[in-house]
């Protein structure tokens, strides 16, 4: 059995493959052409959110029996084509939830306390403590869109910050709500009554551009938006307009519609641009929500557990 690892993953995976006597190769983020050349004799593909695994790659993957994904989202894999070929795709739910949730609060606090502008100003040699009057999360309302693994972890932390918590998730059965301090509401109610809105739902046909002008119009003045889900969920043109016209208080984004893992760019250290970058009240990070040593180690263990389950079922 041969495995191919195509992203930066925990060393635990290398160790685990060796212990199981599985031969493996590591090629960091191969381009599509390169992957098509590498994949014909691969049995197990181990990856994160790049590159896009499409029909051409699957056509070349004559031996492929399993795709192990060290991420939650699988919108970068043609699941239909995998199903046709009987190739299971096993993702890693739950393992990076805390990492993403912590980043959400870092992002909300950064915007509320203007840390990026304050940092830049001090380092440019200007000391002015009066310009950067911020706000506190305490007593504000957190609106969580998508009350899954990450959404629920965000709710727990928001409660500790003494925030009120609203959540919108049409697929979540309220009977399973573990927290009495989280009120499950409609999308409109969540938009209208939140000071901080954070997105934790998958990118699907239904959620693409789900947050657009109409939804931004329905938000409170000064609302800040955090997106550590997928870029395509927010209409970036509308976001630009609503931050520029002052209706929204800012956005802190970990993802963009045209980025790695969403079928857009396909390598690292690529130039990226967006008119959103013109706006001071837009803060960015390059899709690092799940990128902690802790989360990647937990993911490594789950990937190996999934591999063992597969091997057991396919002896
Ligand atoms: N920035 C990053 O590094 C990371 C981003 N993600 C993204 O976050 C998403 C959520 O991750 P998890 O919470 O772990 O997944 P999850 O599957 O536990 O939760 C997703 C929730 O979204 C809900 N949902 C689906 N469609 C919806 C809709 N139309 N409206 C409202 N809710 C809807 C589902 O019912 C589910 O409860 C992933 O799909 C992925 O795209 C996940 C991990 C890291
Ligand atoms: O799990 C997901 O879905 C994510 O978006 C990841 O955390 C980000 O991708 P990775 O590159 O961290 O696997």
């Amino acid at each position: 059995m041969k495995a191919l690892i195509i992203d930066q993953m925990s060393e635990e995976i290398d160790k685990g493959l060796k212990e199981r006597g599985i031969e493996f190769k590591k090629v960091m983020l191969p381009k599509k052409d390169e992957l098509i050349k590498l994949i014909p004799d691969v049995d197990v593909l181990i990856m994160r959110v790049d590159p896009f695994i499409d029909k051409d790659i699957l056509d070349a993957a004559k031996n492929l029996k399993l795709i192990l994904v060290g991420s939650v989202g699988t919108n970068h894999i043609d699941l239909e084509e995998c199903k046709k070929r009987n190739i299971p795709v096993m993702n890693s739910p739950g393992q990076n939830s805390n990492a993403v949730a912590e980043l959400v609060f870092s992002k909300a606090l950064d915007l509320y306390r203007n840390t990026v502008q304050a940092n830049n100003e001090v380092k440019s040699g200007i000391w002015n403590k009066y310009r950067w009057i911020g706000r506190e999360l305490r007593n504000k309302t957190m609106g969580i869109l998508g009350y899954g693994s990450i959404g629920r972890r965000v709710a727990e932390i928001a409660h500790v910050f003494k925030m009120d918590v609203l959540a919108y998730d049409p697929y979540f059965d309220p009977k399973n709500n573990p927290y009495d301090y989280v009120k499950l509401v409609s999308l409109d109610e969540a938009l209208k009554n939140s000071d901080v809105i954070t997105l934790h739902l998958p990118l699907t046909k239904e959620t693409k551009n789900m947050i657009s002008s109409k939804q931004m119009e329905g938000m409170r003045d000064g609302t800040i938006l955090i997106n550590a889900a997928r870029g395509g969920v927010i209409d970036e043109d509308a976001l630009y307009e609503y931050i520029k016209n002052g209706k929204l208080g800012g956005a802190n984004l970990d993802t963009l519609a045209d980025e790695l893992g969403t079928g857009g760019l396909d390598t690292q250290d690529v130039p990226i641009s967006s008119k959103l970058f013109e706006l001071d009240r837009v803060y960015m990070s390059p899709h690092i929500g799940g990128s902690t040593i802790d989360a990647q180690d937990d993911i490594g263990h789950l990937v190996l557990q999934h591999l063992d389950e597969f091997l057991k079922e396919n002896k």
Side-chain angles (χ1 to χ4, degrees), residues 48-49 71-75 91-97 99-100 103 144-152 168-172 187 199-204 206-207 210 227-230 233 254-255 259 287-291:
R48 285 168 63 175
V49 295
S71 319
V72 182
T74 49
N75 53 290
N91 66 337
S92 302
Q95 310 308 299
N96 55 23
S97 306
V100 178
L103 186 73
I144 300 169
L145 310 186
Y147 193 45
S149 181
I150 300 172
R152 292 196 294 276
Y168 163 70
D169 190 327
Y171 303 104
F172 185 83
L187 178 60
L199 277 75
H200 301 295
L201 32 80
L203 176 64
T204 61
E206 181 196 13
T207 62
M210 169 177 157
N227 189 12
R230 288 291 182 267
V233 176
D254 189 41
T255 55
E259 54 133 309
H287 204 148
I288 54 167
S291 295

Side-chain angles (χ1 to χ4, degrees), residues 7-277:
D7 207 327
Q8 186 184 64
M9 316 269 310
S10 161
E11 294 292 315
E12 293 294 317
I13 296 182
D14 302 19
K15 229 167 72 191
L17 291 173
K18 278 183 201 145
E19 281 164 10
R20 287 161 183 78
I22 297 175
E23 199 184 308
F24 66 97
K25 213 185 226 182
K26 286 163 97 168
V27 181
M28 182 68 178
L29 295 178
K31 297 256 189 229
K32 181 171 172 176
D33 293 356
E34 199 187 340
L35 185 55
I36 284 177
K37 281 190 200 130
L38 285 166
I39 209 153
D41 66 342
V42 169
D43 300 278
V44 182
L45 179 65
I46 305 179
M47 61 183 298
R48 285 168 63 175
V49 295
D50 303 293
F52 196 93
I53 301 298
D54 63 8
K55 184 172 178 305
D56 300 337
I57 293 170
L58 292 167
D59 279 344
K62 301 288 179 221
N63 272 339
L64 194 62
K65 297 173 183 64
L66 174 66
I67 302 181
L68 293 168
V69 186
S71 319
V72 182
T74 49
N75 53 290
H76 56 297
I77 298 173
D78 191 332
L79 296 177
E80 278 298 308
E81 290 295 327
C82 289
K83 203 166 163 194
K84 277 188 211 161
R85 293 163 170 79
N86 246 332
I87 302 172
V89 176
M90 301 174 91
N91 66 337
S92 302
Q95 310 308 299
N96 55 23
S97 306
N98 186 66
V100 178
E102 287 189 13
L103 186 73
V104 165
F105 285 87
S106 152
K107 285 183 167 295
L109 289 166
D110 279 340
L111 272 179
Y112 259 21
R113 305 305 294 267
N114 310 296
T115 58
V116 171
Q117 281 81 12
N119 173 68
N120 292 345
E121 189 172 277
V122 172
K123 287 187 171 173
S124 78
I126 299 167
W127 187 272
N128 184 339
K129 66 181 277 171
Y130 300 103
R131 200 172 351 259
W132 306 114
I133 310 297
R135 288 194 290 171
E136 296 178 30
L137 292 176
R138 181 176 55 113
N139 296 337
K140 304 295 187 303
T141 300
M142 175 70 86
I144 300 169
L145 310 186
Y147 193 45
S149 181
I150 300 172
R152 292 196 294 276
R153 182 68 189 125
V154 168
E156 290 172 349
I157 303 174
H159 184 59
V160 175
F161 272 96
K162 300 200 184 305
M163 300 182 81
D164 291 328
V165 189
L166 304 177
Y168 163 70
D169 190 327
Y171 303 104
F172 185 83
D173 183 346
K175 286 202 288 288
N176 297 330
N177 185 5
Y179 306 122
D180 58 5
Y181 52 80
V182 178
K183 193 168 162 206
L184 288 156
V185 296
S186 69
L187 178 60
D188 285 352
E189 280 176 280
L191 298 177
K192 191 170 69 189
N193 296 311
S194 301
D195 302 290
V196 181
I197 294 178
T198 185
L199 277 75
H200 301 295
L201 32 80
L203 176 64
T204 61
K205 282 187 193 130
E206 181 196 13
T207 62
K208 192 162 166 52
N209 284 333
M210 169 177 157
I211 303 301
S212 190
S213 313
K214 180 172 172 280
Q215 289 69 34
M216 292 177 199
E217 201 56 57
M219 293 176 191
R220 285 181 175 174
D221 291 352
T223 295
I224 61 167
L225 264 178
I226 314 292
N227 189 12
R230 288 291 182 267
V233 176
I234 295 186
D235 175 345
E236 289 171 1
D237 291 331
L239 184 64
Y240 177 86
E241 291 308 324
Y242 277 79
I243 293 178
K244 202 171 160 71
N245 72 20
K247 162 81 181 170
L248 299 185
N252 203 332
L253 312 173
D254 189 41
T255 55
L256 283 173
D258 185 19
E259 54 133 309
L260 312 182
T262 55
L265 309 171
D266 66 352
T267 187
Q268 56 185 336
D269 286 336
V270 282
I272 188 159
S273 68
S274 162
K275 63 181 176 183
L276 286 168
F277 303 168

